[in-house]
């Protein structure tokens, strides 16, 4: 019998091992048009702000946000991705990369008037989303702008769903170049799920739905 694929708890291990190959996801030809639009739209939404970015990974979005934001405090749990991020050509006075857990958000700076999370929401269990949103909101200034980017499920482009658990969370089998295989939690929330999740903290929320991505923008109460 083959080894059991690893499941959700070591999700951060999967991303740690994937660090060097992570940005290949931004090379998918069919997604280029939407990515090009997002590379303009997201920095525009955060222009002039002091941004707390959670689960920043290799700093792919950080590099574009930093061009327009006042400053970006970008954190991730994995050193391996933070090392790649730190090598990005971003002005040192515009960005600070550091290690922090996106769940507890312990040690993140206070005083940010914006938040950004790219492709993190989909890795949070349905039962944990309310807590994540409340926690993030509590770390930001009242009235702060929050921008959340994540994937739409797109047949033929997305990795197929391999399993659904009792709570309705969905999972994918992910393969690394090394041949290692991981089962990774990956949820695809509906617009109603998103609206409900941010209602307790948001003044007004706006969802931009594309073919491969969704972009949720809201200002805190
Ligand atoms: C899908 S990647 C997104 C990376 C980046 N935001 C982007 O859009 O390119 C998810 C990231 O979450 C990070 N991660 C996993 N568990 C985490 C945790 N508990 N706290 C903070 N980051 C975590 C991984 O290291 C990985 O960089």
């Amino acid at each position: 019998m083959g080894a059991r694929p690893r499941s959700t708890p070591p999700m951060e291990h999967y991303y740690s091992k994937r660090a060097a190959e992570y940005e290949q996801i931004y090379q998918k030809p069919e997604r280029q048009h939407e990515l090009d639009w997002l590379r303009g739209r997201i920095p525009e939404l955060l222009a002039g702000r002091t941004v707390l970015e959670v689960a920043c990974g290799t700093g792919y979005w950080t590099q574009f946000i930093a061009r327009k934001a006042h400053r970006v405090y970008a954190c991730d749990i994995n050193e391996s991705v933070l090392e790649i991020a730190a090598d990005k050509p971003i002005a040192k006075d515009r960005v600070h990369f550091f290690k922090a857990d996106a769940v507890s958000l312990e040690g993140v700076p206070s005083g940010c008037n914006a938040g950004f999370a790219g492709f993190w929401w989909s890795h949070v269990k349905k039962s944990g989303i309310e807590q994540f949103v409340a926690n993030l909101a509590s770390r930001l200034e009242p009235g702060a702008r929050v921008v959340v980017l994540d994937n739409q499920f797109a047949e033929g482009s997305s990795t197929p769903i391999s399993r659904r658990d009792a709570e309705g969370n969905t999972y994918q089998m992910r393969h690394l170049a090394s041949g290692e295989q991981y089962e990774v939690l990956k949820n695809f929330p509906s617009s109603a799920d998103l609206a409900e999740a941010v209602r307790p903290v948001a003044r007004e929320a706006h969802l931009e739905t594309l073919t491969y991505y969704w972009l949720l923008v809201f200002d805190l109460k």
Side-chain angles (χ1 to χ4, degrees):
M1 225 168 77
R4 256 178 77 82
R6 299 188 190 192
S7 63
T8 350
M11 207 254 295
E12 63 255 41
H13 298 311
Y14 162 72
Y15 279 108
S16 169
K17 296 265 182 90
R18 188 182 162 190
E21 55 194 279
Y22 179 74
E23 290 195 17
Q24 289 170 13
I25 194 70
Y26 294 118
Q27 303 304 321
K28 290 196 175 194
E30 71 278 16
R31 301 187 182 190
Q32 293 312 305
H33 181 67
E34 292 188 0
L35 285 169
D36 195 38
W37 182 77
L38 289 163
R39 284 190 290 261
R41 179 75 176 140
I42 293 170
E44 212 47 69
L45 287 163
L46 298 169
R49 295 185 182 252
T50 303
V51 182
L52 172 64
E53 180 182 0
V54 302
C56 67
T58 56
Y60 181 83
W61 294 99
T62 324
Q63 66 189 326
F64 304 115
I65 295 167
R67 289 180 194 163
K68 295 262 173 155
H70 171 65
R71 192 165 164 83
V72 187
Y73 292 90
C75 60
D76 198 282
I77 202 144
N78 276 313
E79 302 279 4
S80 59
V81 297
L82 288 168
E83 278 166 21
I84 295 172
D87 272 351
K88 291 255 183 319
I90 309 172
K92 297 290 172 235
D93 60 337
R94 306 296 284 270
V95 71
H96 174 59
F97 287 109
F98 63 104
K99 185 170 172 168
D101 184 343
V103 179
S104 70
L105 292 179
E106 256 170 53
V108 304
S110 55
C112 290
N113 61 0
F116 175 72
F119 308 100
W120 169 250
W121 187 289
S122 53
H123 293 311
V124 179
K125 282 197 172 177
K126 286 170 176 252
S127 55
I129 277 293
E130 197 181 314
Q131 172 88 64
F132 167 66
V133 171
N135 217 7
L136 178 64
S138 74
R139 302 285 170 155
L140 301 174
E141 295 282 284
R145 166 145 313 158
V146 181
V147 177
V148 184
L149 170 67
D150 220 302
N151 291 108
Q152 290 274 88
F153 185 84
E155 203 70 51
S157 182
S158 303
T159 304
I161 304 294
S162 54
R163 176 170 81 84
R164 184 180 297 270
D165 69 17
E167 189 189 308
N169 298 294
T170 50
Y171 298 81
Q172 296 172 327
M173 293 309 304
R174 304 275 187 93
H175 302 267
L176 296 178
S178 63
E180 283 173 285
Q181 181 173 249
Y182 289 82
E183 182 185 64
V184 175
L185 167 69
K186 180 79 180 175
N187 282 326
F188 296 91
S190 66
S191 50
D193 292 338
L194 294 170
E196 194 186 319
V198 302
R199 192 169 297 125
V201 301
R203 237 189 293 150
E204 199 182 315
H206 180 67
L207 180 66
E208 298 175 16
T209 307
L210 310 176
T211 301
Y212 303 103
Y213 305 101
W214 54 260
L215 187 67
L216 180 67
V217 185
F218 58 94
D219 289 343
L220 295 180
K221 290 176 185 164

